[in-house]
C-alpha cells in the first residue's frame, strides 16, 4: 500500500527546510513559518517511523532478516550522503587555492577528522562539538541508528509479534519515544533544535512516535474482511475538515515554535498530521496526490541532501563576485540576539527572485541525483544483499516500493 499523500507532504517539507537554510535578506527571511521550518526534520522522523513500521512490522524475525533490513536501509541513505560529502572536498580545495576566506580551508566546519565521522554516519551521536560538512546530514546519522534500534526492538519482541501479539513492541516503542523526549527536554539547551549532540534522541522521539501513529492507523482503517469501518476512523466529511485544520495548525505551530519550548511538541503535532493524511480523504489529499507533488516527494531526499551544497557554491560564488565588483554582496542582521551574515544584492525583491531560482536549481539537481545516485545506490546494495545470502522468505530482497521509503531530514 502506498501513502501517496504523505509523499507529497514530504516534498513540501523538504523544500521548506531548503528555504530555511537560505541565508539571504529577502522578504522570506523574517517570515515566522520560514524561520521555524527546521522543525520539519521532526516531521521526517515521525514519517520514517510510520513507513518503516508499515513496511517491516512482523518481517524482522531473526538476525539475517534484521541484517538484510539494515543493509537495505544503509543502501537507501548512504550513497547520496557519501557523494554529496565528497562534493564538498573540491570546494575546500578551491578555497585553499583562491584564498580570501576568513576561515582557512579544511578547518572549522570542514575539519578532516569530521569528514570520516560523517562518512561513517557517526556525527549525530555526540562525537562532534559543532555542525560539520553537509550540515543537514546529521539527521541521516540519527535516523540510521534509529533503524538499528528498531531492528533490535523487533528482535527482542519477535516471539510475541510472530503470534500477532504486538503489545510488547508497542510498549517498548512508547518507552523509547518517552526516553528520547526526556533526554532532549533534560539536556538540550535549544529545545527540540538539537542535532550533533542529542540528535539520536531527538530522532528516537519522532521515529517511535511515528511507529505508534502507524499502530493507531492500523486500528482505525477500513476493515477489508468485513467491509465495515473500524472504530476510530473519522467520517469522510470530518476528515476533509481535519485536513484543512491540520494545514492551518502546522503553519501556525511552525511559525510560533521557532527557538522556544513549544517546539518540543513538534513530533506530536506532526504525528496528528500524518495520521489524518493517511486516510487521503480530503481536498488537500487530492492536491498532494497530483503529479508535481508526487515528483517532489520522490526527489525529497535529494532535495534535503543537496541543498546545502548548492548554498555552499552560492556563498563562495558571491564572495568571489564581491571581490571582483568591489561592492558588498553580504550584510549582517541580528535577530533574536543572533547575528547572521546574509546575502544581499541591494533589493529585497531581487533576493526573493534569488530564493525562487535557488529552489528551482535544488529541485532540478535533486531529480538528477535521484536518477543517477539514489537509484543506482539502492540497486547496488540490493545486489550485494543477494550475494551475501540467499533470499529469505521473511525478508525478500527486492527493494521496498518508493512510497514506503522514509525520507529525512534539519537545521
Amino acid at each position: 500500500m502506498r501513502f501517496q499523500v504523505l509523499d507529497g507532504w514530504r516534498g513540501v517539507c523538504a523544500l521548506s527546510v531548503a528555504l530555511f537554510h537560505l541565508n539571504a535578506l529577502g522578504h522570506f527571511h523574517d517570515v515566522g513559518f520560514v524561520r521555524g521550518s527546521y522543525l520539519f526534520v521532526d516531521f521526517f522522523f515521525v514519517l520514517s517511523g510510520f513507513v518503516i513500521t508499515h513496511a517491516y512490522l512482523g518481517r524482522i524475525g531473526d538476525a539475517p532478516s534484521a541484517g538484510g533490513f539494515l543493509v537495505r536501509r544503509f543502501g537507501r541513505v548512504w550513497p547520496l550522503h557519501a557523494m554529496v560529502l565528497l562534493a564538498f572536498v573540491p570546494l575546500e580545495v578551491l578555497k585553499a587555492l583562491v584564498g580570501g576566506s576568513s576561515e582557512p580551508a579544511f578547518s572549522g566546519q570542514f575539519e578532516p577528522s569530521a569528514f570520516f565521522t560523517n562518512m561513517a554516519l557517526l556525527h549525530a551521536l555526540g562525537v562532534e562539538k559543532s555542525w560539520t560538512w553537509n550540515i543537514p546530514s546529521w539527521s541521516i546519522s540519527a535516523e540510521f541508528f534509529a533503524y538499528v534500534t528498531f531492528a533490535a526492538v523487533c528482535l527482542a519482541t519477535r516471539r510475541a509479534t510472530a503470534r500477532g501479539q504486538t503489545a510488547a513492541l508497542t510498549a517498548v516503542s512508547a518507552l523509547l519515544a518517552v526516553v528520547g523526549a526526556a533526554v532532549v527536554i533534560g539536556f538540550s539547551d535549544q529545545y527540540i533544535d538539537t542535532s550533533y549532540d542529542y540528535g539520536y534522541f531527538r530522532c528516537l522521539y519522532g521515529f517511535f512516535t511515528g511507529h505508534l501513529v502507524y499502530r493507531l492507523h492500523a486500528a482505525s482503517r477500513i476493515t477489508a474482511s468485513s467491509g465495515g469501518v473500524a472504530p476510530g476512523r473519522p467520517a469522510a466529511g470530518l476528515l476533509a475538515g481535519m485536513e484543512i485544520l491540520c494545514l492551518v495548525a502546522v503553519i501556525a505551530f511552525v511559525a510560533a515554535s521557532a527557538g522556544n519550548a513549544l517546539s518540543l511538541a513538534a513530533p506530536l503535532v506532526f504525528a496528528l498530521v500524518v495520521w489524518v493524511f493517511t486516510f487521503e480523504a480530503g481536498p488537500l489529499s487530492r492536491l498532494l496526490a497530483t503529479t508535481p507533488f508526487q515528483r517532489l516527494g520522490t526527489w525529497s531526499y535529494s532535495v534535503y541532501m543537496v541543498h546545502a551544497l548548492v548554498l555552499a557554491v552560492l556563498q563562495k560564488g558571491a564572495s568571489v563576485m564581491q571581490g571582483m565588483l568591489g561592492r558588498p554582496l553580504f550584510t549582517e542582521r541580528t535577530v533574536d540576539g543572533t547575528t547572521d551574515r546574509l546575502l544581499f544584492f541591494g533589493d529585497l525583491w531581487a533576493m526573493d527572485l534569488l530564493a525562487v531560482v535557488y529552489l528551482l536549481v535544488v529541485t532540478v539537481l535533486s531529480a538528477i541525483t535521484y536518477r543517477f545516485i539514489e537509484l543506482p545506490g539502492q540497486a547496488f546494495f540490493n545486489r550485494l544483499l543477494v550475494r551475501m545470502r540467499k533470499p529469505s522468505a521473511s525478508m525478500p530482497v527486492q527493494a521496498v516500493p518508493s512510497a514506503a521509503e522514509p525520507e529525512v531530514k534539519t537545521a
Side-chain angles (χ1 to χ4, degrees):
M1 176 182 176
R2 293 193 61 176
F3 294 97
Q4 292 180 315
V5 173
L6 296 181
D7 280 344
W9 261 104
R10 189 167 57 200
V12 172
C13 293
L15 275 188
S16 299
V17 173
L19 184 59
F20 164 79
H21 281 130
L22 176 63
N23 283 336
L25 184 55
H27 289 100
F28 295 117
H29 182 262
D30 292 330
V31 174
F33 176 81
V34 175
R35 296 190 64 80
S37 287
Y38 70 89
L39 292 170
F40 284 119
V41 72
D42 298 289
F43 178 89
F44 294 132
F45 289 149
V46 172
L47 181 57
S48 179
F50 180 92
V51 296
I52 284 293
T53 303
H54 169 68
Y56 292 103
L57 183 64
R59 299 172 62 196
I60 301 176
D62 53 24
S65 61
F69 162 73
L70 293 176
V71 169
R72 196 168 293 111
R73 299 317 307 158
F74 187 80
R76 178 69 183 92
V77 300
W78 187 80
L80 181 62
H81 164 67
M83 292 302 296
V84 175
L85 183 59
L86 288 169
F88 274 92
V89 174
L91 293 181
E92 287 302 291
V93 173
L94 183 62
K95 181 196 292 186
L97 295 175
V98 174
S101 174
S102 59
E103 187 175 76
F106 296 104
S107 64
Q109 176 185 335
F110 301 102
E111 286 284 351
S113 60
F115 177 88
F116 296 103
T117 58
N118 276 251
M119 189 63 77
L121 290 177
L122 299 175
H123 52 301
L125 302 182
V127 299
E128 300 294 343
K129 301 302 182 184
S130 63
W131 285 320
T132 53
W133 291 86
N134 185 16
I135 290 174
S137 71
W138 72 265
S139 60
I140 307 304
S141 165
E143 186 154 333
F144 182 76
F145 282 94
Y147 299 153
V148 174
T149 306
F150 176 77
V153 171
C154 287
L155 289 178
T157 60
R158 63 186 183 275
R159 292 184 179 178
T161 303
R163 296 193 300 268
Q165 300 170 347
T166 55
L169 178 58
T170 301
V172 175
S173 297
L175 176 61
L176 287 170
V178 170
V179 168
V183 170
V184 172
I185 292 170
F187 294 95
S188 172
D189 59 0
Q190 297 293 324
Y191 306 108
I192 200 72
D193 190 17
T194 182
S195 52
Y196 54 83
D197 40 11
Y198 304 108
Y200 167 69
F201 294 98
R202 177 181 178 181
C203 185
L204 283 187
Y205 177 19
F207 185 94
F208 284 98
T209 297
H211 170 87
L212 298 175
V213 173
Y214 179 79
R215 302 303 304 279
L216 178 62
H217 166 79
S220 58
R221 63 188 175 184
I222 294 176
T223 306
S225 59
S226 63
V229 178
R233 176 186 170 91
L238 179 59
L239 280 168
M242 290 172 68
E243 287 190 358
I244 303 297
L245 289 176
C246 278
L247 177 62
V248 173
V250 165
I251 294 172
F253 175 80
V254 170
S257 303
N260 59 54
L262 188 59
S263 66
L264 293 165
L268 304 180
V269 173
F270 293 134
L272 176 62
V273 173
V274 169
W275 179 72
V276 168
F277 280 87
T278 56
F279 298 109
E280 303 182 339
L284 287 178
S285 286
R286 290 191 289 274
L287 176 63
L288 291 168
T290 58
T291 299
F293 287 98
Q294 290 301 293
R295 292 284 180 85
L296 190 58
T298 298
W299 303 329
S300 59
Y301 180 48
S302 277
V303 169
Y304 184 81
M305 292 300 289
V306 307
H307 76 267
L309 180 64
V310 174
L311 287 175
V313 173
L314 177 61
Q315 292 274 345
K316 289 176 172 56
S319 296
V320 172
M321 290 299 297
Q322 181 173 253
M324 294 174 61
L325 296 174
R327 58 180 293 260
L329 296 179
F330 294 87
T331 186
E332 290 190 350
R333 182 81 176 274
T334 300
V335 178
D336 299 329
T338 301
T339 300
D340 288 330
R341 182 171 180 259
L342 306 174
L343 282 168
F344 185 58
F345 301 162
D347 182 82
L348 293 176
W349 292 104
M351 303 314 295
D352 293 344
L353 178 60
L354 174 68
V356 172
V357 172
Y358 155 69
L359 292 178
L360 287 174
V361 169
V362 168
T363 301
V364 171
L365 179 59
S366 297
I368 295 171
T369 54
Y370 173 77
R371 171 64 180 84
F372 294 103
I373 299 177
E374 285 192 62
L375 291 180
Q378 292 178 67
F380 171 82
F381 278 92
N382 282 331
R383 291 193 299 269
L384 178 63
L385 188 57
V386 171
R387 290 195 296 267
M388 287 172 58
R389 60 181 178 83
K390 293 181 180 180
S392 167
S394 61
M395 286 287 287
V397 297
Q398 67 266 24
V400 175
S402 60
E405 290 289 345
E407 306 297 347
V408 314
K409 354 329 135 127
T410 157

